[in-house]
């Protein structure tokens, strides 16, 4: 018997959102106009998982530094919680505002 479990992309999106919110400089996720995409989109094509996060960041935050930290935190969190490493973690900054 093979021991293989599949985790829904909605669950992976929640994990990714939680991890992103932990990064200093992230104000929150920016909701998409697409249904069911609350600032995070996770796609799984033939076992290749891609994560796209849409963020609002603090005014004085370094966008490149925040982006790198979010990528690292999300990848590590998904690996720890879901035993999978995403192929890509793309960060899109949609808004900048006061801390």
């Amino acid at each position: 018997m093979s021991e293989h479990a599949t985790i829904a992309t909605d669950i992976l999106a929640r994990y990714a959102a939680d991890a992103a919110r932990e990064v200093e400089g992230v104000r929150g996720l920016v909701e998409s106009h697409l249904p069911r995409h609350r600032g995070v989109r996770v796609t799984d094509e033939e076992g290749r998982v891609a994560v796209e996060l849409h963020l609002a960041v603090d005014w004085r935050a370094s966008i490149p530094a925040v982006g790198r930290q979010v990528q690292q935190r999300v990848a590590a969190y998904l690996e720890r919680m879901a035993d999978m490493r995403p192929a890509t973690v793309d960060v899109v900054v949609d808004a900048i505002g006061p801390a």
Side-chain angles (χ1 to χ4, degrees):
M1 177 185 332
S2 173
E3 293 185 26
H4 180 74
T6 302
I7 299 174
T9 56
D10 285 349
I11 300 300
L12 296 176
R14 286 185 202 155
Y15 285 161
D18 289 345
R21 285 187 194 102
E22 293 175 355
V23 174
E24 187 174 339
V26 173
R27 289 180 48 226
L29 298 165
V30 176
E31 300 240 357
S32 170
H33 64 282
L34 301 172
R36 296 182 56 185
H37 291 139
R38 294 178 183 94
V40 182
R41 180 174 21 199
V42 176
T43 57
D44 184 355
E45 296 181 16
E46 299 176 15
R48 186 176 187 273
V49 174
V51 179
E52 180 179 311
L53 298 111
H54 290 260
L55 304 178
V57 299
D58 292 337
W59 177 255
R60 298 200 187 277
S62 167
I63 293 172
V66 169
R68 278 190 300 275
Q69 290 174 10
V70 167
Q71 288 174 319
Q72 292 167 355
R73 178 82 49 102
V74 167
Y77 196 82
L78 290 177
E79 191 166 25
R80 186 175 72 242
M81 297 299 290
D83 196 27
M84 61 79 52
R85 186 123 182 125
T88 61
V89 177
D90 296 321
V91 176
V92 179
V93 175
D94 287 322
I96 300 172

